[in-house]
C-alpha cells in the first residue's frame, strides 16, 4: 500500500512539474486516500505530501485560467487548522508552505509579504525538526519570493542555502535553477544561463528528461537575453529534439520552438525559422491539435513582423486570432491582437495598429484579464507617444493606471505614472511631470524607484536645477547598488557623469564614465557598454586633446562603440554611435572623414526627426571645418527645417546660429583662371607634435619612413587597434573593413592628393606595399 501511494505521488509530481492535468489530481487524491487509511507517522507524512500536490494543482490551474485560486486557498486553510488542532507540526509547516506559494503568485506585494512570513515560519519548524530535505524545499520557495519582492541578494542567499542542503540530484537541480533565477533578476543573464546549464546536468543525472529539456529552454532564453544567439540556438534545438523525442506536449515544444525562432531571427535566419514553424504546424494539424496550430501561426506572424515584409504577418495572425476566438480564450485573443498591431506598425500603418490594440483591449476586458488589458493600454500609450499625440498618450496611461489599481498592481501603477510624466514633459508641463514622477516613486518597488529617480533627475535637469538633479541621481545609484543590478548601476553612473559634465566637473565625470565602462564589461551588457563608451567620448571631448595618446584614445572609444552597435543590429544605437564617431573625427582634425559617418547616422534616424536634425547640425559644422561654406549653410538650413518639424528648439537655435556665423564668414578667395597659383613658401615652419606628410606640387619625392609612420597612425585610428600594427601587416589583419577602408582612402586623397579609390586595398594589401607605392608615385 505504501509503495502504491509513493508511486502515485511520484507520477503526480512529475506531471505537475509541466502542466496541471486532471491526471495529477486523480493520482494525488488516490495517494491521499491510501495514506489516510495507512495512518501512523508514515501515513501522515504521505498525506502531507499528497495534500501539497493537490493544493499545487488547484493553484496552478487557477493561474492557467487567470482566476483567483479559491479552491487552493480553502483547502490549505482547512487542512492547516486541522494540523494545528492535532499538534502536527510537520503538517503545519507543509501547509504553510502551500499558502506561501499561493500568495506569492501575482497577488500584490501585501500578499507576498504574507507569503514571506509563512515560509519563514515553516523554515523555522523544519529546522527544529531537523528535516533537511524540506528545509531545502523551503529555501527554494524563499528564493522565488525574494526574487518577486525585488530582493536579489536575499534570493541568492536562499538559493545558496538550498544548494548546500540538497542531497539528491533532483533537489540540487532545482536549487541551481533557483540560483539562476536570482542571477536573472539582477539581469546577469550570461551567469544565469551558466547556472541553468549546471541544473540541466543534475536533471539529466536524476533521469528527469522532461525537466532537463525544460531547463534547456531556460538556458536558451537567458543566452538570448545575454545577446548570445548562437548558444541560444543550440540549446533551443536540443530542447525541441528532446520534447519531440519524449512526445511531450502541453505547450513545451512550442516554447522551445519560439526561443529557437527568436535565436534564428537574431542571427538573420528568419526564413529558416518560418520553414520550421510550417513543418511543425503540419504535424500538429495532422494530430488535430488546434491550439498548437494556432500557437505556431502566431509565432510565424511574429517572425514575419520582424522581417522586411511585415505584411506577410497578417494572414497567420488572423488565422491564430480566429482559432483563439473559437476556443473562447479571450486572453490569448488579446495577445494575438497585440501581435497584429505590431505587424501593422512595422508596415507603417499606425491607424490599423491602433484599431488592433483597441480589439486587444476589448478581448482582455471580456476575459476579465486585467494584466492584458493594462498591457494593451500601455501599447496604445506608446503608439500615441511615438506619433507625438501626447494628450492621447496621457489618457491611455491614466486608463492603464486605473486597471493596475483595480488589480492591486502598485508596481504597474508606478510605471503608468512615469509614462504620464514623460508625456507631460514633452508638452512642456515640467512641474506636472515632476509631481507624477514623485507619485511614481511613492508607489514603486525598489526597481520602480530606480526608474522614478532617473526620470526625476532628467526633469530637474530640464528645469535647470542641476544640484537637485544630482541628488536624485545619487539616490538612484544607491538604489541600483542595493538591487545588485550591474547594468542599472552602470546606467546610474552614466547619468551622474553627464550631470557632472553639465556642471563643468570634467575630471569627476571622466572617473564616473570609466567606472560605468568597467561595470558594463563585468555584466557583459553590450548595449549598455556602447552607451558607456559614448558617455566617455562626450566627456573626453570636453578635455584637452593636446597629445597623440588622448586623440587616439578618443578615436578608439568611438570606433569601439560603433563596432559594437553594428554587431547588435540596433539601428537607433548605431545611429548614435555613428554621430559621435563623426564628431570625434571632426574634433581630431579629420572633418572630411567624419562626414560619411554622420550622413549614415542621419539616414538611420528615420522618423526620429530630432535625431536627424542634430545630425544635420553636426554635418553643417563638419562642412564648415572642411571649408565647404555653401554645403555648411545648406546643412544648417536642413537642420532647422527638421528641428521645426519636431519642435526641437535647441537644435533649431544651434543650426540658425551656425548658419548666421557662416553667412558672415567671407567666401575664400579663389585664384583667377589666368593667374598661376602662388608657389608654396620654401621657408620651414614650426612643426606640431604630429606631422602630416602632404605631397606638395613640385616636391621631388616623399620620405618612406615618414609615409610609413603616417600610414600606421591612420590604420591605428581607424581600427582602434589594441595590438601593435606593423608595416608588413595586411590591412585585413590590422582590422580594416570596407567602412574603414573608405575612410582611409579619404584621408590618403586629402594628404597625398593622388585620387585613390577603395580598390587600392586590394592592389596593395599590406601597409608596406602601399607605402612603397606612394613613394614610387611621388617620384614619377
Amino acid at each position: 500500500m505504501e509503495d502504491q501511494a509513493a508511486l502515485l505521488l511520484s507520477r503526480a509530481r512529475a506531471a505537475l512539474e509541466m502542466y496541471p492535468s486532471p491526471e495529477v489530481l486523480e493520482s494525488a487524491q488516490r495517494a491521499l486516500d491510501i495514506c489516510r487509511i495507512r495512518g501512523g507517522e508514515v501515513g501522515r507524512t504521505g498525506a502531507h505530501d499528497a495534500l501539497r500536490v493537490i493544493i499545487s494543482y488547484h493553484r496552478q490551474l487557477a493561474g492557467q485560467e487567470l482566476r483567483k485560486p479559491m479552491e487552493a486557498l480553502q483547502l490549505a486553510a482547512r487542512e492547516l487548522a486541522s494540523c494545528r488542532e492535532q499538534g502536527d507540526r510537520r503538517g503545519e509547516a507543509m501547509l504553510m508552505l502551500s499558502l506561501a506559494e499561493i500568495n506569492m503568485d501575482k497577488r500584490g506585494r501585501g500578499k507576498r509579504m504574507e507569503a514571506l512570513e509563512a515560509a519563514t515560519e515553516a523554515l523555522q519548524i523544519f529546522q527544529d525538526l531537523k528535516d533537511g530535505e524540506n528545509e531545502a524545499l523551503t529555501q527554494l520557495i524563499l528564493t522565488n519570493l525574494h526574487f518577486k519582492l525585488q530582493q536579489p541578494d536575499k534570493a541568492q542567499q536562499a538559493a545558496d542555502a538550498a544548494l548546500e542542503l540538497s542531497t539528491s540530484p533532483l533537489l540540487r537541480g532545482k536549487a541551481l535553477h533557483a540560483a539562476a533565477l536570482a542571477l536573472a533578476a539582477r539581469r546577469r543573464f550570461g551567469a544565469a544561463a551558466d547556472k541553468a546549464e549546471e541544473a540541466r546536468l543534475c536533471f539529466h543525472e536524476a533521469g528527469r528528461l522532461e525537466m532537463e529539456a525544460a531547463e534547456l529552454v531556460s538556458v536558451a532564453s537567458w543566452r538570448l537575453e545575454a545577446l548570445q544567439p548562437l548558444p541560444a540556438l543550440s540549446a533551443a534545438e536540443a530542447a525541441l529534439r528532446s520534447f519531440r523525442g519524449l512526445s511531450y506536449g502541453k505547450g513545451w515544444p512550442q516554447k522551445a520552438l519560439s526561443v529557437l525562432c527568436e535565436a534564428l531571427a537574431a542571427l538573420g535566419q528568419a526564413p529558416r525559422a518560418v520553414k520550421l514553424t510550417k513543418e511543425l504546424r503540419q504535424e500538429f494539424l495532422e494530430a488535430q491539435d488546434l491550439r498548437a496550430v494556432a500557437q505556431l501561426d502566431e509565432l510565424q506572424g511574429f517572425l514575419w513582423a520582424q522581417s522586411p515584409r511585415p505584411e506577410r504577418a497578417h494572414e497567420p495572425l488572423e488565422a491564430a486570432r480566429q482559432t483563439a476566438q473559437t476556443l473562447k480564450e479571450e486572453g490569448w485573443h488579446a495577445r494575438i491582437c497585440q501581435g497584429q498591431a505590431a505587424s501593422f506598425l512595422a508596415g507603417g500603418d499606425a491607424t490599423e495598429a491602433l484599431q488592433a490594440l483597441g480589439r486587444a483591449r476589448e478581448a482582455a476586458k471580456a476575459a476579465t484579464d486585467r494584466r492584458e488589458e493594462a498591457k494593451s493600454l500601455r501599447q496604445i500609450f506608446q503608439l500615441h507617444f511615438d506619433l507625438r499625440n501626447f494628450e492621447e498618450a496621457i489618457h491611455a496611461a491614466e486608463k492603464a493606471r486605473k486597471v493596475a489599481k483595480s488589480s492591486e498592481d502598485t508596481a504597474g501603477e508606478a510605471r503608468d505614472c512615469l509614462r504620464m510624466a514623460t508625456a507631460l514633459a514633452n508638452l512642456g508641463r515640467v512641474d506636472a511631470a515632476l509631481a507624477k514622477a514623485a507619485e511614481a516613486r511613492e508607489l514603486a518597488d525598489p526597481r520602480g524607484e530606480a526608474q522614478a529617480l532617473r526620470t526625476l533627475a532628467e526633469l530637474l535637469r530640464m528645469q535647470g536645477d542641476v544640484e537637485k538633479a544630482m541628488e536624485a541621481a545619487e539616490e538612484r545609484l544607491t538604489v541600483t547598488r542595493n538591487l545588485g543590478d550591474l547594468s542599472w548601476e552602470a546606467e546610474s553612473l552614466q547619468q551622474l557623469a553627464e550631470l557632472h559634465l553639465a556642471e563643468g566637473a570634467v575630471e569627476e565625470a571622466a572617473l564616473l564614465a570609466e567606472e560605468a565602462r568597467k561595470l558594463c564589461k563585468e555584466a557583459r551588457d553590450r548595449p549598455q557598454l556602447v552607451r558607456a563608451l559614448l558617455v566617455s567620448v562626450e566627456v573626453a571631448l570636453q578635455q584637452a586633446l593636446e597629445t597623440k595618446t588622448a586623440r587616439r584614445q578618443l578615436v578608439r572609444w568611438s570606433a569601439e562603440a560603433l563596432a559594437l552597435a553594428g554587431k547588435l543590429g540596433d539601428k537607433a544605437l548605431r545611429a548614435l554611435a555613428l554621430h559621435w564617431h563623426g564628431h570625434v573625427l571632426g574634433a581630431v582634425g579629420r572633418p572630411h572623414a567624419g562626414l560619411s559617418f554622420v550622413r549614415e547616422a542621419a539616414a538611420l534616424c528615420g522618423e526620429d526627426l530630432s535625431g536627424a536634425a542634430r545630425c544635420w547640425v553636426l554635418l553643417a559644422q563638419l562642412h564648415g571645418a572642411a571649408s565647404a561654406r555653401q554645403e555648411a549653410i545648406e546643412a544648417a538650413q536642413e537642420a532647422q527645417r527638421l528641428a521645426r518639424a519636431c519642435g526641437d528648439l535647441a537644435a533649431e537655435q544651434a543650426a540658425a546660429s551656425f548658419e548666421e556665423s557662416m553667412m558672415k564668414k567671407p567666401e575664400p578667395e579663389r585664384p583667377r583662371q589666368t593667374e598661376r597659383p602662388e608657389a608654396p613658401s620654401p621657408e620651414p615652419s614650426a612643426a606640431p607634435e604630429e606631422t602630416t606628410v602632404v605631397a606638395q606640387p613640385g616636391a621631388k619625392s616623399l620620405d618612406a619612413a615618414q609615409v610609413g609612420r603616417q600610414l600606421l597612425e591612420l590604420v591605428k585610428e581607424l581600427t582602434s587597434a589594441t595590438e601593435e600594427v606593423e608595416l608588413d601587416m595586411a590591412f585585413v589583419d590590422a582590422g580594416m573593413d570596407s567602412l574603414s577602408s573608405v575612410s582611409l582612402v579619404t584621408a590618403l586623397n586629402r594628404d597625398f592628393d593622388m585620387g585613390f579609390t577603395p580598390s587600392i586595398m586590394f592592389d596593395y594589401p599590406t601597409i608596406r606595399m602601399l607605402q612603397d607605392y606612394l613613394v614610387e608615385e611621388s617620384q614619377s
Side-chain angles (χ1 to χ4, degrees):
M1 185 182 291
E2 184 182 333
D3 290 343
Q4 186 183 1
L7 180 62
L8 286 165
L9 266 182
S10 176
R11 288 176 181 169
R13 285 197 188 103
L16 193 62
E17 293 284 355
M18 295 300 168
Y19 194 81
S21 62
E23 291 79 9
V24 172
L25 183 60
E26 183 182 346
S27 296
Q29 189 63 56
R30 285 173 60 196
L32 176 62
D33 293 341
I34 291 169
C35 290
R36 281 179 168 166
I37 292 170
R38 172 79 170 80
E41 184 64 29
V42 174
R44 279 198 302 273
T45 299
H48 298 153
D49 293 341
L51 278 167
R52 285 254 309 139
V53 172
I54 293 169
I55 292 166
S56 291
Y57 165 81
H58 287 301
R59 173 175 65 86
Q60 290 186 33
L61 187 65
Q64 292 273 344
E65 296 176 355
L66 300 170
R67 58 181 174 82
K68 290 186 177 180
M70 297 309 299
E71 299 98 326
L73 282 167
Q74 290 166 3
L75 180 58
R78 185 171 67 245
E79 294 293 338
L80 176 61
S82 174
C83 285
R84 281 174 172 165
E85 284 177 12
Q86 297 170 20
D88 183 352
R89 294 200 74 207
R90 183 182 184 279
E92 179 184 355
M94 294 289 281
L95 289 160
M96 287 176 74
L97 275 189
S98 290
L99 278 172
E101 288 179 305
I102 295 167
N103 283 325
M104 76 178 176
D105 284 348
K106 304 173 187 174
R107 290 172 57 80
R109 187 175 178 83
K111 288 293 182 183
R112 285 173 183 165
M113 292 305 295
E114 285 182 31
L116 182 62
E117 186 179 342
T120 304
E121 194 173 337
L123 178 66
Q124 186 60 57
I125 292 172
F126 288 132
Q127 286 173 340
D128 293 344
L129 295 173
K130 294 182 169 37
D131 186 342
E133 185 174 347
N134 280 312
E135 188 183 343
L137 177 65
T138 308
Q139 291 286 13
L140 289 177
I141 292 169
L142 282 168
T143 301
N144 213 356
L145 263 169
H146 288 307
F147 161 63
K148 292 187 175 186
L149 287 166
Q150 303 291 335
Q151 298 168 339
D153 289 339
K154 291 183 178 179
Q156 192 73 61
Q157 289 167 10
D160 291 342
L163 194 57
E164 190 174 339
L165 289 160
S166 300
T167 53
S168 69
L170 180 61
L171 204 55
R172 184 173 175 79
K174 290 182 177 180
L176 285 163
H177 180 74
L181 283 173
L183 287 164
R186 299 159 77 174
R187 300 204 301 174
R188 300 183 67 176
F189 298 112
D194 293 341
K195 195 68 72 175
E197 182 59 36
E198 291 183 57
R200 181 194 71 78
L201 293 172
C202 289
F203 294 138
H204 180 80
E205 184 183 347
R208 299 296 297 272
L209 300 183
E210 75 287 350
M211 293 184 73
E212 180 185 2
E215 198 65 24
L216 277 167
V217 176
S218 295
V219 171
S221 298
W222 286 325
R223 291 288 180 216
L224 266 182
E225 290 285 358
L227 301 174
Q228 299 170 353
L230 272 174
L233 177 63
S234 176
E237 285 176 331
L240 185 58
R241 280 195 303 272
S242 295
F243 284 127
R244 295 180 76 181
L246 292 165
S247 298
Y248 202 92
K250 311 303 182 186
W252 278 96
Q254 295 94 300
K255 289 178 186 177
L257 179 64
S258 178
V259 179
L260 190 157
C261 288
E262 285 184 57
L264 286 170
L267 290 164
Q269 298 180 41
R272 182 183 162 197
V274 171
K275 184 181 177 183
L276 273 172
T277 61
K278 287 180 177 177
E279 288 172 1
L280 265 181
R281 184 185 191 279
Q282 188 59 36
E283 289 182 23
F284 286 121
L285 195 60
E286 290 170 3
Q288 296 185 335
D289 188 342
L290 290 182
R291 196 176 199 285
V293 169
Q295 286 175 330
L296 291 173
D297 284 335
E298 184 183 8
L299 178 56
Q300 193 180 137
F302 163 79
L303 289 166
W304 283 123
Q306 307 300 310
S307 77
R309 300 189 63 185
E311 70 280 357
R312 297 191 68 173
H314 303 334
E315 185 179 338
L317 285 173
E318 182 58 26
R321 188 182 74 81
Q322 289 179 10
T323 303
Q325 277 190 309
T326 302
L327 296 172
K328 296 182 179 178
E329 295 195 28
E330 292 298 331
W332 184 25
H333 180 201
R335 291 191 293 277
I336 294 170
C337 288
Q338 291 164 5
Q340 286 182 311
S343 70
F344 283 125
L345 200 56
D349 195 336
T351 303
E352 285 287 351
L354 277 171
Q355 290 175 359
L357 288 173
R359 291 194 295 272
R361 184 192 174 196
E362 291 305 316
K365 285 176 73 175
T368 324
D369 188 338
R370 292 189 178 92
R371 183 179 62 177
E372 289 301 327
E373 184 183 357
K375 183 179 173 183
S376 299
L377 284 164
R378 286 161 190 158
Q379 290 179 354
I380 290 170
F381 162 87
Q382 192 61 54
L383 184 47
H384 280 304
F385 187 89
D386 291 342
L387 293 170
R388 305 188 69 79
N389 300 332
F390 298 121
E391 291 289 358
E392 292 293 335
I394 291 167
H395 293 324
E398 284 175 339
K399 290 175 184 175
R401 185 188 177 183
K402 286 178 183 176
V403 174
K405 189 172 184 179
S406 68
S407 57
E408 299 179 3
D409 180 9
T410 52
E413 272 194 86
R415 290 193 295 272
D416 292 325
C417 283
L418 284 181
R419 290 183 178 92
M420 285 186 264
T422 308
L424 286 164
N426 275 273
L427 288 170
R429 294 157 60 184
V430 181
D431 288 337
L434 278 165
K436 282 293 175 191
E439 195 176 344
R441 186 184 179 189
E442 290 298 317
L443 289 165
D445 55 19
R447 190 168 287 276
E449 184 182 7
Q451 292 173 314
L453 285 164
R454 174 189 177 181
T455 303
L456 280 167
E458 289 173 353
L459 292 169
L460 288 163
R461 184 178 178 180
M462 283 175 67
Q463 274 196 333
D465 195 339
V466 180
E467 186 177 341
K468 283 189 178 178
M470 199 93 73
E471 289 174 9
E474 290 280 5
E475 286 185 69
R476 181 192 177 205
L477 180 59
T478 302
V479 172
T480 53
R481 279 177 172 160
N482 290 337
L483 282 170
D485 189 322
L486 298 182
S487 295
W488 274 29
E489 186 180 344
E491 193 180 299
S492 301
L493 288 163
Q494 290 166 38
Q495 187 178 41
L496 267 174
E498 289 168 350
L499 288 167
H500 278 289
L501 194 60
E503 286 283 85
V506 180
E507 294 300 325
E508 181 64 25
L511 291 172
L512 290 164
E514 183 182 3
E515 190 178 349
R517 291 198 314 276
K518 289 177 181 176
L519 283 177
C520 290
K521 288 176 181 177
E522 185 180 345
R524 293 187 284 184
D525 186 339
R526 291 190 291 172
Q528 199 60 45
L529 178 57
V530 173
R531 297 183 185 95
L533 285 162
L534 295 179
V535 170
S536 295
V537 166
E538 189 177 357
V539 172
L541 284 168
Q542 301 299 314
Q543 297 174 304
L545 297 174
E546 295 175 352
T547 67
K548 180 167 60 177
T549 302
R551 290 194 289 276
R552 186 181 295 170
Q553 179 65 77
L554 182 59
V555 174
R556 183 177 293 117
W557 280 335
S558 68
E560 185 182 347
L562 181 55
L564 270 175
K567 290 176 184 175
L568 294 171
D570 185 327
K571 286 185 179 180
L573 204 56
R574 179 167 170 77
L576 194 63
L578 283 162
H579 179 280
W580 280 107
H581 190 56
H583 193 153
V584 164
L585 291 172
V588 298
R590 300 179 56 209
H592 288 93
L595 285 167
S596 61
F597 293 99
V598 184
R599 286 195 192 98
E600 187 180 348
L604 282 175
C605 284
E607 295 181 4
D608 178 11
L609 298 184
S610 180
R614 288 164 189 260
C615 285
W616 279 95
V617 171
L618 180 54
L619 281 170
Q621 294 167 341
L622 291 171
H623 278 303
S627 301
R629 180 173 175 272
Q630 187 56 39
E631 289 87 342
I633 291 170
E634 290 171 2
Q637 290 170 345
E638 176 64 9
Q640 289 173 76
R641 184 187 69 78
L642 290 167
R644 280 193 293 270
C646 64
D648 188 337
L649 294 177
E652 185 181 357
Q653 289 170 1
S657 175
F658 184 78
E659 182 190 6
E660 185 180 354
S661 69
M662 291 303 295
M663 294 290 281
K664 290 178 180 178
K665 187 176 180 181
E667 185 77 35
E669 289 187 11
R670 299 178 184 272
R672 296 178 184 175
Q673 293 293 328
T674 55
E675 293 180 355
R676 294 180 64 182
E678 193 175 56
S681 169
E683 296 294 325
S685 57
E689 185 181 351
E690 282 185 286
T691 303
T692 299
V693 182
V694 179
Q696 297 289 355
K700 288 184 179 180
S701 64
L702 295 172
D703 179 73
Q706 283 184 312
V707 171
R709 283 195 295 271
Q710 186 174 348
L711 287 174
L712 289 172
E713 288 302 321
L714 282 171
V715 170
K716 286 176 184 176
E717 282 187 11
L718 290 168
T719 61
S720 302
T722 54
E723 298 178 1
E724 191 61 34
V725 179
E726 298 175 354
L727 283 172
D728 292 313
M729 185 177 284
F731 286 106
V732 173
D733 294 336
M736 296 290 289
D737 55 21
S738 58
L739 195 62
S740 53
S741 68
V742 171
S743 299
L744 179 60
V745 169
T746 302
L748 293 174
N749 287 335
R750 178 196 65 211
D751 294 346
F752 296 96
D753 194 25
M754 290 187 182
F756 298 125
T757 65
S759 66
I760 197 170
M761 296 304 161
F762 302 100
D763 299 331
Y764 304 95
T766 71
I767 301 172
R768 188 184 296 278
M769 288 171 72
L770 181 58
Q771 167 202 284
D772 294 343
Y773 170 74
L774 290 171
V775 174
E776 183 182 338
E777 281 294 296
S778 70
Q779 291 171 345
S780 63

